[in-house]
Amino acid sequence: MALLFRELSLGHSKRDTTPPPPPIIPPPRPAADNLPSPFGQISINLTDYQLTLTAYEIFVAACRTSSGKPLTFVPNSHSAESLSHHSADSFAYQRSLTYTAASKVKKVFGLKSPGSDGSGQGKPKRPLTVGELMRNQMRVSEAMDSRVRRALLRISAGQTGRRIESMVVPLELLQQLKVSDFVDEQEYDEWQKRTLKVLEAGLILHPRLPLDKSNSAAQRLRQIIHGALDRPIETGRNNESMQVLRSAVKSLANRSPDGSLSDSCHWADGIPLNLRLYETLLQSCFDANDESSIIREFDELMEQIKKTWEILGLNQTLHNLCFTWVLFHQFVATGQMDLELLSAADGQLAEVAKDAKATKDSEYSKILSSTLTSIMGWAEKRLLAYHETFDRTNVETMEGIVSLGVSAAKILVEDISNEYRRRRKTEVNVARERIETYIRSSLRTAFAQASSFHLPLVMEKADSSRRASKNQPNALPLLAIFAKDVGSLAVNEKQVFSPILKRWHPLAAGLAMATLHVCFGNELKQFISGITELTPDAVQVLRAADQLEKDLVQIAVEDSVDSDDGGKAIIREMPPYEAEAVIANLVKIWIETRLDRLKECIDRHLQQELWSPQTNQERCAASAVEILRYVNETLDAFFQLPIPMHPALLPEVINGLDRCLQYYIAKAKSSCGSRNTFLPTMPALTRCTVGSKFQGFGKKRDKFTSSQKRNPQVATNGDNSFGIPQLCVRINTLQWMLGEFDVLEKRIITLLRNSESAHVEDFSNGLAKKFELSPAACLEGIQKLCEAAAYRIVFHDLSHTLWDGLYVGDPSSSRIDPFVEELERNLLFVSDTIHEKVCTRIITEIMRASFDGFLLVLLAGGPSRAFTRKDSQIIEDDFKALKEMFWANGDGLPTELIDKFSTSVRSVLPLFRIETGSIIEQFRHLTLERYKSNARSRLPLPPTSGQWDPSEPNTLLRVLCYRNDEPASKFLKKTYDLPKKL
């Protein structure tokens, strides 16, 4: 003790000529994101520095008395050599902390110490004692430290053997320290007010045991304290006010739960005062010059700090909780850069978790809940939107924060939540639930921000895309760009965040992909609902969505391949976009719209079509050229659609175009007549009357003179669209279209080959690229039009030379020459007008019509025509002339073709040489045989079949009707009583 007093004599007194330096006021700590202390606010105005000074006083007092050996004060002015005068025990207690072994706690937590990299320069300074270290760490001035130590020495001198827990330290300090111990009266007043506030906080506002409002001691103490705010109280030992103060303080501090007075004093162990003071002490473990580092003397200092537990009413459980908060708070306050602090806080939280399971104290549970809620709240503020907080550069920090947040949540739910206790623990996986919440929330937030605030960037990308592709008028649409950005977000999630989150949730990546899938799906639904027709923009958006969906599903499947259900649950959260189906439906609508426009185009052009042979070099209709041009444009537009299913939808396009072209062909050949349109109605059987006029077929026809012969290039029915020139143009049109189908099909193959969506197998099925209906319609139309044109020429345009002229009256004077001459002129016109590939066909049809007309004149020409056997030579010569015209000395039709179509005529002409009796007998025999009649009954009248043949009864009968001799007349009169006039 003498040594201690000698050391004290080195301290300052009021007689010192040089006043001590002003107190060191530490700079304010960082706001730490405005994190409030979870331990609660003290209900009195005590600043952080005032709490620090109070905590330091408690620390010095606890260390001085806990072992019976005071924490010796050694001023900085003393050299290191002066320490050698101390006793061995004292030196051991005050041993240098600079060279102690590395802290065990720091090893466990992986915390660094300042200067651990060996970068320090110069000679080491004199080793610090524990007292000096703590004073420096808490930024307490030497003068304040000296006052406290002197006061404590005085207290110990007067109360030898009394333990610190039986003292109210602020009260004892008030008793020992006078104005003379301070620089000036103002400093003393501030110290006294602070000390009284501490007493009010510990004994009245936050007592360890609940305090009755009517407690007289509390009322007296409050009056004294509030009175001291106006005028400092006298603190002498025998001073009355001091006696009243001591009495009130002791009465409040020595209360016990049963109402009796105990030896122990409780003045700083009420919540939250004790926790806030202890928090301040723990803060001293961080280096004053590098607040993210634990001092290397941590173990030694912590050993001394723990000696304050008795005064502050703490234990290991509360220490673990406070230390967890301090480590966490320090990590936040120092800029969240030191992962060692974060790891230490997480490790300390594991100890808290053990305590939470073993401790059921309600007060502790409240503090625990408040602390964990604060930690988890701070963590989740970042984790619920971790895309805003973290990236590749600081993702390691995220892992620590996730661990901290999940650990806090597990303790809150599993060890504090009553609801959780009532449920089976197997039903709740707190870690997975929190990670799922973080993933969904953060991705939804990132997605919402991208869709809302990313628009200017998207517009900028779109503008740059337009500038980069001037030849492409349609730049990438915004939603398509957004789909790519979402894909990038997914890849970043998979590569950066999912590996970390997978530690707590095995399906972290799959869950993230499902969340993005749903978010973009909602945007896509709105987009699709606004689509009314297929546009390149719509297709690009849908294709981008389809690709995004494939990417998201692929990541989800890969992530969940090892899960119990193989990822089925995750996939069920990803309802398909069905973008390809939407595209297909839009394409079908587009096809229908195009086809409707094509049909309208056909109708419009057909209404304007004149079928003039002067329209173009092909001498085909201008309407056909326009229609084929529109077909080509439709094919080009179809293959320009950026769709992934050209091969699949191409048959539908071709079939639609095929039907439209078939419609045009049907219109082109309609109303032009046919063979039967121009064939005359077969007249009733009658007996020939030589020299009489043949009066048509129910309608009078005037026989044209040579001056009235019609011009074959002028329509005779009053409708210019159906004349021979127009019919030729129609035939040419169909023939030209027939050739264009091959060109179209080759072009389709080329377009398909250049399509990005085509595959090799798409070219193996040629039928899918062919027109089927319209080429067949063209062939049928050409045949029908050629036949119509031929029979029109023969039976309409040249009826004056055939029906009205050939063999009327005397056959020798009405030969076939006029008909042949006009027919030849028509043939020349047709051959000059018609397409070369159709020329032979139409001339063949004209030949067939001529042969049919020749036979009709001979066998159904009416009563104005009559032939003798001598006329047979004239008839044969005329037919030969008709055939020779078509043969044209070898330049016309082939002989084989002429013979083929002249078979019927050649088989019938010999009948005109045969004697009448032979014809009658042959007729009688064939009729009886065919109609099963007997010789005694009257011969039935054979019907007219129109098929002329020597073995056909009606043909023989008609030869008899036009035979100009008596036997024929008698037979016909007797057998059928045929009239000589119609």
Side-chain angles (χ1 to χ4, degrees):
M1 292 297 293
L3 175 62
L4 295 176
F5 280 108
R6 280 200 305 273
E7 290 177 353
L8 274 175
S9 68
L10 298 173
H12 298 286
S13 70
K14 63 180 180 180
R15 292 186 296 273
D16 289 341
T17 56
T18 304
I24 301 173
I25 300 178
R29 291 187 176 273
D33 288 358
N34 297 319
L35 270 180
S37 173
F39 306 136
Q41 297 299 317
I42 300 174
S43 302
I44 195 170
N45 185 20
L46 281 171
T47 65
D48 289 342
Y49 182 58
Q50 288 175 330
L51 285 174
T52 299
L53 294 179
T54 302
Y56 183 73
E57 290 171 350
I58 293 173
F59 171 79
V60 175
C63 292
R64 191 198 72 81
T65 60
S66 60
S67 63
K69 297 178 181 179
L71 189 66
T72 306
F73 167 70
V74 182
N76 284 346
S77 59
H78 286 239
S79 64
E81 289 77 3
S82 66
L83 294 173
S84 62
H85 300 298
H86 292 202
S87 66
D89 290 341
S90 177
F91 183 81
Y93 183 74
Q94 303 172 53
R95 66 190 183 280
S96 168
L97 300 178
T98 307
Y99 301 102
T100 56
S103 166
K104 298 177 184 178
V105 176
K106 285 186 292 179
K107 284 185 177 180
V108 173
F109 293 149
L111 293 169
K112 67 181 180 180
S113 298
S116 58
D117 58 355
S119 59
Q121 300 290 333
K123 297 180 181 179
K125 297 180 180 180
R126 175 185 63 79
L128 298 175
T129 66
V130 172
E132 289 176 315
L133 177 67
M134 191 61 166
R135 180 180 63 76
N136 288 341
Q137 287 296 108
M138 298 188 75
R139 299 177 185 268
V140 174
S141 66
E142 290 186 26
M144 189 273 184
D145 177 68
S146 176
R147 285 195 297 267
V148 172
R149 293 177 184 278
R150 282 200 301 272
L152 291 175
L153 285 174
R154 294 169 189 166
I155 294 169
S156 63
Q159 303 180 24
T160 303
R162 188 179 178 190
R163 299 186 63 80
I164 193 64
E165 60 267 20
S166 64
M167 302 181 192
V168 178
V169 174
L171 179 65
E172 302 301 334
L173 292 178
L174 280 172
Q175 185 78 58
Q176 297 297 330
L177 294 178
K178 311 299 180 197
V179 176
S180 58
D181 294 309
F182 293 85
V183 174
D184 52 33
E185 187 174 349
Q186 181 181 354
E187 185 184 5
Y188 174 74
D189 289 344
E190 290 177 358
W191 172 84
Q192 187 184 91
K193 289 178 181 178
R194 190 256 300 173
T195 304
L196 291 172
K197 284 182 181 181
V198 170
L199 288 173
E200 182 179 11
L203 296 172
I204 300 177
L205 300 177
H206 305 289
R208 177 175 176 270
L209 297 175
L211 183 65
D212 189 351
K213 293 182 180 179
S214 62
N215 188 289
S216 58
Q219 293 176 357
R220 287 197 306 274
L221 179 59
R222 186 178 285 110
Q223 291 174 356
I224 294 171
I225 291 173
H226 289 178
L229 297 178
D230 297 328
R231 183 171 59 87
I233 62 173
E234 293 292 334
T235 58
R237 178 174 295 276
N238 298 320
N239 185 274
E240 181 180 357
S241 59
M242 189 62 195
Q243 294 298 327
V244 174
L245 175 63
R246 176 177 289 277
S247 174
V249 168
K250 295 295 289 182
S251 176
L252 293 171
N254 292 107
R255 289 183 305 125
S256 61
D258 58 4
S260 61
L261 297 177
S262 65
D263 292 335
S264 298
C265 293
H266 304 285
W267 63 272
D269 49 0
I271 296 173
L273 178 62
N274 57 347
L275 299 178
R276 293 298 304 278
L277 291 170
Y278 193 63
E279 179 184 5
T280 302
L281 289 172
L282 292 178
Q283 288 285 353
S284 66
C285 296
F286 297 98
D287 188 78
N289 298 316
D290 181 6
E291 292 193 333
S292 66
S293 300
I294 291 283
I295 59 174
R296 75 172 65 221
E297 302 85 5
F298 174 81
D299 279 345
E300 288 78 2
L301 190 60
M302 183 58 70
E303 182 181 352
Q304 302 305 318
I305 291 175
K306 287 183 178 181
K307 293 176 181 178
T308 65
W309 286 5
E310 290 190 21
I311 297 176
L312 298 176
L314 301 180
N315 53 24
Q316 186 66 45
T317 300
L318 286 171
H319 163 79
N320 290 341
L321 183 60
C322 288
F323 193 41
T324 299
W325 170 258
V326 168
L327 289 170
F328 165 72
H329 186 277
Q330 196 70 11
F331 166 73
V332 176
T334 54
Q336 309 165 40
M337 300 300 294
D338 198 309
L339 298 183
E340 293 177 355
L341 279 175
L342 184 59
S343 177
D346 193 26
Q348 188 67 25
L349 198 57
E351 298 298 317
V352 172
K354 297 176 184 178
D355 296 336
K357 294 182 184 299
T359 306
K360 304 304 178 185
D361 180 74
S362 60
E363 287 296 328
Y364 171 76
S365 294
K366 291 179 183 178
I367 302 168
L368 175 64
S369 178
S370 175
T371 304
L372 296 179
T373 299
S374 184
I375 292 174
M376 191 175 75
W378 180 90
E380 292 198 339
K381 182 179 179 182
R382 284 138 189 84
L383 296 177
L384 291 172
Y386 57 77
H387 289 86
E388 297 179 7
T389 312
F390 305 104
D391 51 35
R392 294 177 185 271
T393 62
N394 63 350
V395 71
E396 291 182 357
T397 305
M398 176 187 172
E399 183 172 8
I401 293 176
V402 172
S403 180
L404 200 69
V406 169
S407 298
K410 289 183 68 175
I411 299 172
L412 279 170
V413 174
E414 297 178 2
D415 299 312
I416 298 177
S417 172
N418 292 326
E419 179 183 354
Y420 178 81
R421 291 194 185 102
R422 290 193 298 266
R423 299 169 59 185
R424 290 173 56 88
K425 293 188 177 182
T426 54
E427 295 177 359
V428 179
N429 187 321
V430 178
R432 289 188 62 163
E433 285 189 352
R434 296 320 303 159
I435 297 302
E436 181 172 341
T437 300
Y438 301 156
I439 291 173
R440 293 191 189 279
S441 173
S442 186
L443 282 169
R444 285 169 183 162
T445 301
F447 186 91
Q449 289 179 343
S451 60
S452 300
F453 304 109
H454 191 60
L455 187 58
L457 180 59
V458 172
M459 292 295 294
E460 182 180 343
K461 288 183 179 179
D463 291 340
S464 63
S465 176
R466 289 190 183 93
R467 290 192 295 269
S469 55
K470 294 181 179 179
N471 296 329
Q472 299 177 5
N474 295 323
L476 197 63
L478 302 184
L479 195 56
I481 296 176
F482 186 51
K484 291 187 176 182
D485 291 337
V486 173
S488 299
L489 179 61
V491 172
N492 187 66
E493 180 76 18
K494 173 190 174 184
Q495 296 177 350
V496 178
F497 300 116
S498 294
I500 291 174
L501 299 174
K502 199 173 182 68
R503 171 182 163 190
W504 294 274
H505 198 303
L507 304 179
L511 187 63
M513 299 308 108
T515 303
L516 285 176
H517 186 277
V518 172
C519 288
F520 190 83
N522 293 333
E523 296 287 332
L524 186 63
K525 284 180 184 177
Q526 294 183 3
F527 176 80
I528 291 174
S529 65
I531 299 176
T532 57
E533 62 177 343
L534 184 72
T535 62
D537 279 6
V539 173
Q540 290 188 69
V541 168
L542 290 168
R543 291 194 67 180
D546 184 61
Q547 185 59 52
L548 173 63
E549 180 176 40
K550 291 176 181 176
D551 294 341
L552 295 179
V553 170
Q554 179 66 24
I555 295 174
V557 170
E558 291 175 354
D559 182 62
S560 55
V561 67
D562 295 327
S563 62
D564 294 339
D565 65 349
K568 292 180 181 179
I570 291 295
I571 298 303
R572 281 196 294 271
E573 290 190 32
M574 305 171 74
Y577 294 160
E578 296 182 344
E580 288 194 0
V582 174
I583 292 175
N585 290 334
L586 288 173
V587 173
K588 290 177 181 178
I589 295 172
W590 181 89
I591 293 172
E592 291 175 1
T593 302
R594 277 277 179 167
L595 295 178
D596 289 342
R597 291 175 183 172
L598 177 55
K599 193 172 181 181
E600 293 173 1
C601 180
I602 290 173
D603 290 334
R604 184 172 64 254
H605 280 88
L606 283 173
Q607 289 175 359
Q608 300 170 355
E609 185 58 70
L610 299 176
W611 305 103
S612 171
Q614 307 300 324
T615 54
N616 50 48
Q617 292 181 350
E618 298 287 343
R619 291 190 176 183
C620 66
S623 60
V625 176
E626 289 300 312
I627 298 308
L628 264 296
R629 182 182 62 80
Y630 190 92
V631 168
N632 277 287
E633 289 177 355
T634 300
L635 288 170
D636 286 341
F638 172 73
F639 280 102
Q640 285 173 4
L641 294 175
I643 59 176
M645 64 278 291
H646 285 115
L649 295 173
L650 179 59
E652 190 165 347
V653 176
I654 294 178
N655 290 338
L657 294 175
D658 200 11
R659 290 193 301 271
C660 288
L661 292 174
Q662 183 190 29
Y663 173 76
Y664 174 82
I665 293 164
K667 288 288 186 180
K669 69 181 181 180
S670 65
S671 304
C672 294
S674 63
R675 176 178 180 272
N676 293 331
T677 302
F678 299 102
L679 279 175
T681 304
M682 195 71 68
L685 284 172
T686 184
R687 184 76 179 96
C688 63
T689 302
V690 179
S692 65
K693 300 283 185 178
F694 179 59
Q695 302 298 326
F697 306 101
K699 182 178 179 181
K700 184 177 179 180
R701 293 178 180 268
D702 295 331
K703 183 176 181 181
F704 291 147
T705 62
S706 58
S707 62
Q708 293 173 318
K709 292 178 181 178
R710 301 176 178 92
N711 186 340
Q713 296 189 33
V714 179
T716 60
N717 60 356
D719 187 350
N720 288 338
S721 64
F722 296 106
I724 294 302
Q726 287 72 31
L727 288 174
C728 289
V729 170
R730 291 173 190 261
I731 295 170
N732 288 346
T733 299
L734 298 187
Q735 182 60 42
W736 175 75
M737 290 180 68
L738 193 62
E740 288 298 305
F741 289 123
D742 289 335
V743 177
L744 273 177
E745 289 167 3
K746 290 178 181 178
R747 188 160 182 271
I748 289 171
I749 295 297
T750 301
L751 290 170
L752 185 59
R753 184 173 288 110
N754 294 333
S755 170
E756 62 175 331
S757 58
H759 301 88
V760 176
E761 58 269 19
D762 296 324
F763 300 95
S764 59
N765 183 13
L767 293 177
K769 293 86 182 174
K770 284 186 174 295
F771 291 84
E772 295 180 348
L773 300 176
S774 43
C778 279
L779 291 172
E780 180 189 357
I782 290 170
Q783 178 61 35
K784 181 181 177 181
L785 289 171
C786 286
E787 187 179 81
Y791 280 81
R792 179 187 179 94
I793 290 173
V794 172
F795 291 97
H796 182 276
D797 296 351
L798 300 183
S799 64
H800 59 285
T801 58
L802 183 65
W803 284 106
D804 297 342
L806 183 61
Y807 304 142
V808 172
D810 183 10
S812 62
S813 60
S814 53
R815 302 281 297 270
I816 201 170
D817 296 342
F819 173 72
V820 171
E821 290 175 4
E822 291 207 23
L823 182 61
E824 188 173 9
R825 284 198 294 272
N826 277 270
L827 288 175
L828 289 172
F829 171 76
V830 168
S831 62
D832 288 341
T833 306
I834 208 74
H835 195 287
E836 61 180 4
K837 290 185 177 181
V838 195
C839 190
T840 298
R841 177 179 297 183
I842 190 170
I843 292 176
T844 300
E845 290 298 324
I846 294 173
M847 180 181 69
R848 188 178 72 162
S850 300
F851 292 171
D852 285 354
F854 188 74
L855 275 180
L856 283 173
V857 167
L858 295 178
L859 301 176
S864 61
R865 290 177 171 90
F867 305 100
T868 65
R869 290 177 61 196
K870 293 180 181 180
D871 294 330
S872 63
Q873 188 62 47
I874 294 174
I875 294 171
E876 290 176 3
D877 292 342
D878 283 350
F879 183 64
K880 182 179 179 181
L882 183 60
K883 290 195 299 181
E884 288 179 348
M885 184 198 66
F886 286 105
W887 183 61
N889 295 322
D891 294 332
L893 297 177
T895 303
E896 297 80 7
L897 195 61
I898 296 172
D899 290 342
K900 175 183 176 182
F901 284 94
S902 64
T903 301
S904 295
V905 181
R906 287 187 288 107
S907 66
V908 171
L909 288 186
L911 295 176
F912 288 86
R913 287 181 176 271
I914 300 175
E915 291 183 356
T916 302
S918 298
I919 297 175
I920 292 172
E921 288 302 320
Q922 189 176 356
F923 171 73
R924 189 188 302 276
H925 173 73
L926 290 173
T927 302
L928 291 175
E929 181 181 351
R930 179 164 298 184
Y931 298 104
K932 306 302 180 182
S933 299
N934 54 46
R936 294 179 182 179
S937 63
R938 187 174 181 178
L939 290 174
L941 184 66
T944 301
S945 65
Q947 300 298 323
W948 312 126
D949 188 89
S951 62
E952 203 267 328
N954 184 262
T955 300
L956 295 173
L957 180 60
R958 286 181 176 275
V959 171
L960 290 174
C961 286
Y962 294 105
R963 177 62 60 90
N964 189 11
D965 61 15
E966 190 64 24
S969 297
K970 287 181 179 181
F971 173 77
L972 293 174
K973 178 66 176 176
K974 179 180 179 180
T975 306
Y976 298 113
D977 194 22
L978 292 178
K980 292 186 177 180
K981 292 183 180 181
L982 289 175

